């Protein structure tokens, strides 16, 4: 009798397991649009092709094999996050009129490389401007019920600090960090008010270890890492405050800071980490750009063995490692 029941139980499992599996595909069905705001860490192709930059060789050599407007050799954060959410890559705002309407169902990216919460460049919209672009689509492209299952990725502030460090006196940095986080608060509240349900904000990566700083003055490097810690502390408090106010976990921090360090150290403490390549020299970029003489720029043999692609941005393999470490936490935060 007992063994007969076991048999039936197994049979049921066998018959229904394809159903169980395909059900998993719908785990995010209540949350299947991704809207992306921010900078080159998230931009999948909004900048103008005439800008060169991410639209020039050798960007995109790993994927899709030619430049795609991503600031890397291949896939970046947005690609890996969309994959975790089990949706196709959201279309870029700049391509929205060139694609089939059905492509808009996965959300949209308003992120532009080089931008910040404040004005860091003249060409592209700051975060306020990016949210304006999103707002203009509400009511015609996206209805409120479309947003009942939406996630925002808000990748921001790196450029605000890079711009600050190259234009302002250092003693102003403390008050500037507060200004940046206050502006992030304004932006996050607005994104939520416009109807996005889950809002993921990456903490600032350890900027002192990006090749741009890592191989320079130790004093600047230390200062930059302190700046980042201060920023991340304020960001954490902000997110706790916003969640407490709204009385649910609408906001979540994606912990780039500790995850980048984990990948650099490759300590293997975090589940999933075992798949991660050991990067021999994580602080050296694969594509070394010579600003004085472009033809003197150099490209490493294998971008898959490098964490950093250029002086500022991770390679596809770098991003993959980061999202492998983060996978469980992101899934938990965006599904509850
Ligand atoms: C964002 O850009 C707009 C348009 O250029 C500008 O008016 C506004 O002051 C900027 N916002 C911030 C917070 O810098
Ligand atoms: C959450 O909000 C309540 C009421 O506004 C306040 O008393 C409490 O201190 C807040 N907690 C945190 C962690 O901010
Ligand atoms: C959230 O709402 C529940 C039920 O209304 C309440 O019991 C709880 O104390 C609230 N939590 C916070 C942090 O305000
Ligand atoms: C570029 O490389 C050539 C040959 O190695 C060298 O002579 C020249 O000085 C380099 N130019 C710059 C601007 O570094
Ligand atoms: C995941 O979340 C737990 C609990 O908040 C935290 O202790 C851990 O550091 C997080 N891991 C990563 C990789 O962010």
């Amino acid at each position: 009798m007992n063994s007969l029941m076991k048999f039936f139980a197994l049979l049921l499992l066998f018959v229904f397991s394809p159903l169980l599996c395909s059900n998993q595909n719908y785990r995010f069905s209540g949350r299947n649009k991704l809207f992306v705001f921010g900078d080159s860490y998230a931009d999948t192709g909004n900048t103008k092709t005439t800008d060169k930059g991410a639209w020039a060789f050798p960007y995109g050599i790993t994927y899709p094999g030619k430049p795609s407007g991503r600031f890397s050799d291949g896939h970046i954060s947005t690609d890996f996050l969309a994959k975790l959410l089990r949706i196709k890559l959201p279309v870029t705002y700049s391509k929205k009129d060139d694609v089939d309407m059905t492509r808009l169902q996965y959300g949209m990216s308003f992120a532009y490389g080089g931008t910040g919460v404040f004005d860091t460049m003249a060409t592209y919209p700051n975060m306020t401007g990016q949210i304006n672009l999103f707002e203009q689509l509400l009511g015609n492209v996206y209805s409120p019920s479309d947003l009942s299952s939406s996630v925002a990725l808000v990748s921001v502030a790196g450029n605000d600090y890079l711009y600050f460090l190259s234009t302002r006196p250092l003693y102003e940095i403390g008050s500037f960090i507060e200004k940046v986080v206050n502006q992030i608060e304004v932006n996050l509240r607005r994104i939520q008010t416009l109807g996005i349900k889950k809002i993921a904000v990456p903490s600032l990566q350890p900027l002192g270890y990006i090749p741009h700083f890592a191989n320079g003055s130790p004093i600047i490097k230390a200062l930059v890492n302190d700046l980042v810690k201060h920023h991340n502390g304020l960001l954490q408090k902000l997110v706790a405050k916003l969640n407490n106010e709204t009385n649910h976990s609408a906001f979540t921090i994606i912990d780039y800071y500790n995850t980048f360090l984990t990948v650099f150290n490759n300590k293997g403490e975090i589940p999933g980490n075992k798949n991660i390549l050991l990067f021999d020299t994580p602080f050296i970029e694969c594509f070394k750009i010579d600003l004085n003489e472009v033809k003197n720029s150099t490209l490493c043999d294998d971008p898959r063995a490098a964490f950093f692609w250029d002086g500022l941005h991770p390679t596809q393999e770098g991003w993959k490692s980061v999202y492998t470490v983060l996978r469980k936490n992101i899934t938990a935060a965006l599904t509850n």
Side-chain angles (χ1 to χ4, degrees):
M1 187 65 197
N2 201 4
S3 65
L4 197 63
M5 274 172 71
K6 266 189 193 154
F7 170 74
F8 277 114
L10 267 176
L11 189 69
L12 279 174
L13 201 64
F14 177 74
V15 170
F16 287 106
S17 62
L19 267 179
L20 289 173
C21 289
S22 69
N23 254 347
Q24 286 212 329
N25 293 329
Y26 300 101
R27 195 167 50 178
F28 285 92
S29 68
R31 201 174 304 295
N32 58 2
K33 285 182 182 54
L34 175 60
F35 294 95
V36 184
F37 303 91
D39 50 29
S40 56
Y41 268 40
D43 182 3
T44 45
N46 266 319
T47 60
K48 294 193 197 82
T49 54
T50 48
D51 272 4
K52 303 292 182 204
W55 286 103
F57 177 85
Y59 285 78
I61 52 165
T62 304
Y63 173 89
K66 59 179 190 206
S68 70
R70 290 174 178 82
F71 291 77
S72 184
D73 62 314
H75 292 109
I76 60 166
S77 61
T78 306
D79 299 284
F80 290 107
L81 184 58
K83 200 171 165 198
L84 283 185
L85 296 175
R86 295 162 188 269
I87 55 172
K88 286 191 182 166
L89 185 71
V91 68
T92 53
Y93 178 78
S94 63
K95 298 269 170 20
K96 71 176 189 316
D97 299 324
D98 309 338
V99 298
D100 196 88
M101 272 298 274
T102 59
R103 283 291 286 133
L104 309 188
Q105 67 179 297
Y106 308 108
M108 199 175 283
S109 171
F110 306 91
Y112 285 85
T115 62
V117 292
F118 295 118
D119 290 329
T120 49
M121 59 174 353
T123 341
Y124 297 122
N126 58 30
M127 178 133 309
T128 309
Q130 293 176 22
I131 301 170
N132 292 346
L133 296 178
F134 170 61
E135 188 172 20
Q136 286 158 15
L137 300 179
L138 298 180
N140 50 68
V141 176
Y142 297 110
S143 68
S145 72
D146 285 340
L147 299 184
S148 65
S149 50
S150 53
V151 171
L153 171 66
V154 184
S155 160
V156 84
N159 287 317
D160 291 287
Y161 294 120
L162 292 179
Y163 185 72
F164 176 92
L165 290 170
S166 62
T167 55
R168 304 292 308 166
L170 278 182
Y171 65 83
E172 291 178 3
I173 189 69
S175 61
F176 183 68
I177 295 171
E178 284 172 21
K179 269 184 66 183
V180 167
V181 176
N182 288 341
Q183 184 59 34
I184 291 177
E185 175 171 1
V186 171
N187 296 328
L188 294 182
R189 285 182 189 280
R190 222 181 127 209
I191 290 170
Q192 190 182 39
T193 303
L194 291 173
I196 297 187
K197 303 302 178 209
K198 288 276 179 183
I199 301 167
V201 195
S203 61
L204 212 53
Q205 66 280 15
L207 276 179
Y209 295 111
I210 65 172
H212 179 73
F213 291 117
N215 308 305
S217 143
I219 296 169
I220 296 290
K221 193 163 126 183
L223 177 119
V224 166
N225 281 336
D226 282 351
L227 171 172
V228 168
K229 279 184 206 148
H230 189 46
H231 169 94
N232 285 342
L234 292 180
L235 188 68
Q236 191 126 31
K237 281 193 194 138
L238 169 63
V239 162
K241 182 176 85 171
L242 293 174
N243 277 335
N244 188 17
E245 264 182 33
T246 53
N247 193 11
H248 64 289
S249 42
F251 298 89
T252 187
I253 287 186
I254 302 185
D255 189 359
Y256 280 179
Y257 184 87
N258 286 304
T259 306
F260 274 51
L261 293 182
T262 299
V263 175
F264 295 157
N265 296 330
N266 197 42
K267 281 184 186 152
E269 287 164 352
I270 294 186
N273 194 347
K274 57 182 179 295
N275 299 329
I276 292 168
L277 287 183
L278 187 63
F279 298 107
D280 287 337
T281 48
F283 313 126
I284 296 185
E285 69 269 42
C286 174
F287 178 46
K288 226 184 250 298
I289 302 172
D290 190 321
L291 291 173
N292 299 316
E293 192 141 15
V294 174
K295 68 178 190 316
N296 279 14
S297 298
T298 57
L299 185 62
C300 71
D301 291 336
D302 184 9
R304 288 163 204 258
F307 182 88
F308 282 106
W309 167 243
D310 59 19
L312 300 174
H313 307 100
T315 54
Q316 168 174 296
E317 204 61 32
W319 277 122
K320 185 176 164 193
S321 305
V322 166
Y323 273 80
T324 303
V325 174
L326 285 166
R327 185 176 57 212
K328 282 204 175 117
N329 279 16
I330 291 181
T331 308
L334 299 182
T335 44
N336 69 13

